[in-house]
Amino acid sequence: MPERTATIASRVGLHARPAAIFAEAAGDLDIEVTIAREGEPADDAMDAASILSLMSLGASHGDVVVLRAEGEGAEAALDSLVKILETDHDAE
């Protein structure tokens, strides 16, 4: 299963605005994507398209998360989602 790590760039972490942007992008994909904090078991990963799951993750600025997906286009999808997480949406 393809996976990528990403460092949360938004200055106040994965709060409402960046979480909404990320969840919308993940939900628009034809594949299921999961997210977990680095070091957590893959079984504990949450649905990346769920804003509630993202908010409960509690990821702060500088935290590393792991994205996983399976299916056609998973590699490209993960690359695009990493870019979203590694963008400081609070600076815009």
Side-chain angles (χ1 to χ4, degrees):
M1 174 180 289
E3 69 177 51
R4 299 283 188 283
T5 58
T7 303
I8 304 299
S10 289
R11 285 177 262 159
V12 289
L14 201 53
H15 63 89
R17 182 167 182 255
I21 293 167
F22 181 80
E24 182 176 354
D28 287 345
L29 300 171
D30 292 330
I31 57 174
E32 182 179 322
V33 179
T34 62
I35 187 169
R37 286 175 166 267
E38 187 176 49
E40 290 184 357
D43 291 344
D44 291 346
M46 296 183 260
D47 180 7
S50 165
I51 192 163
L52 292 176
S53 292
L54 295 172
M55 298 289 291
S56 68
L57 190 65
S60 300
H61 173 77
D63 286 352
V64 177
V65 295
V66 179
L67 303 173
R68 294 179 182 91
E70 194 165 4
E72 190 171 330
E75 298 279 349
L78 290 175
D79 289 341
S80 68
L81 292 174
V82 165
K83 288 179 186 174
I84 293 170
L85 292 175
E86 293 188 342
T87 297
D88 184 357
H89 297 283
D90 297 315
E92 297 175 353

